[in-house]
């Protein structure tokens, strides 16, 4: 609730739900508010900018106990909170999507980041089956693994997508596609491809990858969609 007046002055398009807080952090009582407000929603993204306050941990746990949640996408702090919940995968609905980078994947699996990076394909595929969710393992040539054994590889490798906020753009893009009735796997495959292509387009417009920030990727999504749709 305390953040709405700050954000709304900069972002005019979104609608807002007033969530109860403790010291500025979303608290456990907000789970009921979210549940009541998302009835009829087609997708729910949890995690971007969420924080890791103890009350917010309780919020996520309470949210997962609610019935009739829309299809879920977990990213960022949502993943960090999940990693601290015992058998967290048993609490997620089937077809949930998670979008970890290697560090988050290490926390979710209990492996080291070196182990994750050394066995990306195997770990993504194995955990998607074990957890019965779609896993987007981010990194150079991002992987998308589904519980039925499908694995897709994004044919892009660029440091333009390694800056702060670009992962949030990806998570939002996947959530938007999921909300348009695409399957969990298709949403992630299309989303990761469009996101990376937008990063390449941003490099082309700016002139180098080192100057690309998340806003540049966001601004080039339309160009990326147009190229894919015209082919």
């Amino acid at each position: 609730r305390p953040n709405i007046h700050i954000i709304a002055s900069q972002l005019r398009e979104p609608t807002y739900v007033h969530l109860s807080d403790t010291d500025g952090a979303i608290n456990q009582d907000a789970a009921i508010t979210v549940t009541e407000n998302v009835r009829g929603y087609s997708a729910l993204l949890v995690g971007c900018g969420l924080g890791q306050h103890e009350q917010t941990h309780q919020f996520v746990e309470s949210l997962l106990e609610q019935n009739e949640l829309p299809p879920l996408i977990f990213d960022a702090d949502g993943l960090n909170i999940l990693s601290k919940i015992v058998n967290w995968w048993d609490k997620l609905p089937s077809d949930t999507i998670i979008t970890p980078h290697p560090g988050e994947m290490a926390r979710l699996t209990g492996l080291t980041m070196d182990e994750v990076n050394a066995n990306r394909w195997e770990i993504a595929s194995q955990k998607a089956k074990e957890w019965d969710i779609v896993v987007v393992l981010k990194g150079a040539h991002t992987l998308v693994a589904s519980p039925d054994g499908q694995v897709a590889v994004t044919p892009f490798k660029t440091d333009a997508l390694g800056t702060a906020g670009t992962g949030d753009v990806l998570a939002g893009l996947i959530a938007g596609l999921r909300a348009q009735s695409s399957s969990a796997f298709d949403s992630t495959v299309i989303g990761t491809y469009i996101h990376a292509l937008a990063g390449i387009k941003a490099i082309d417009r700016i002139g180098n990858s080192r100057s690309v920030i998340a806003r540049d990727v966001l601004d080039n999504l339309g160009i990326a969609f147009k190229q894919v749709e015209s082919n």
Side-chain angles (χ1 to χ4, degrees):
R1 187 164 39 219
N3 295 329
I4 290 178
H5 72 282
I6 301 171
I7 300 171
S9 64
Q10 302 296 320
L11 298 174
R12 299 175 182 176
E13 298 89 353
T15 56
Y16 298 89
V17 176
H18 291 247
L19 300 180
S20 58
D21 71 285
T22 299
D23 300 328
I26 295 174
N27 64 25
Q28 184 176 7
D29 294 339
I32 300 298
T33 306
V34 170
T35 305
E36 291 174 346
N37 279 274
V38 300
R39 292 194 178 112
Y41 279 33
S42 301
L44 176 62
L45 169 59
V46 181
C48 302
L50 194 61
Q52 297 189 58
H53 192 283
E54 177 57 35
Q55 281 287 321
T56 307
H57 281 242
Q58 294 177 24
F59 160 75
V60 172
E61 291 195 59
S62 295
L63 184 66
L64 293 178
E65 293 172 357
Q66 307 302 313
N67 296 320
E68 300 181 9
L69 289 173
L72 296 175
I73 301 93
F74 267 84
D75 184 47
D77 279 332
L79 297 173
N80 291 324
I81 291 173
L82 281 183
S83 70
K84 298 176 182 178
I85 299 174
V86 177
N87 294 340
W88 56 267
W89 52 88
D90 289 334
K91 304 179 186 298
L92 297 179
S94 60
D95 283 338
T96 294
I97 299 166
I98 65 170
T99 59
H101 58 55
E104 291 162 343
M105 191 64 169
R107 288 188 282 277
L108 290 167
T109 59
L111 301 171
T112 67
M113 195 159 69
D114 287 341
E115 288 172 325
V116 170
N117 285 327
N119 300 281
R120 287 167 50 81
W121 186 294
E122 295 85 352
I123 289 171
S125 180
Q126 174 191 345
K127 293 303 180 181
K129 294 176 185 177
E130 179 183 331
W131 297 335
D132 193 30
I133 58 178
V134 172
V135 175
V136 182
L137 182 53
K138 295 184 289 193
H141 304 297
T142 291
L143 298 170
V144 178
S146 70
D148 64 5
Q150 294 184 87
V151 180
V153 184
T154 306
F156 298 101
K157 178 182 179 181
T158 173
D159 56 1
L161 301 177
T163 57
T166 54
D168 297 337
V169 175
L170 173 61
L173 177 57
I174 292 171
L177 291 165
R178 189 75 172 104
Q180 296 175 62
S181 301
S182 296
S183 70
F185 184 71
D186 288 348
S187 299
T188 52
V189 171
I190 297 168
T192 53
Y193 187 92
I194 293 290
H195 177 258
L197 182 58
I200 299 298
K201 295 300 180 183
I203 295 171
D204 292 342
R205 295 182 69 177
I206 292 172
N208 68 82
S209 63
R210 296 179 182 178
S211 300
V212 174
I213 60 175
R215 169 63 62 177
D216 300 318
V217 178
L218 182 64
D219 289 344
N220 281 275
L221 289 179
I223 297 171
F225 269 110
K226 182 178 180 180
Q227 177 173 318
V228 170
E229 290 169 348
S230 64
N231 290 336

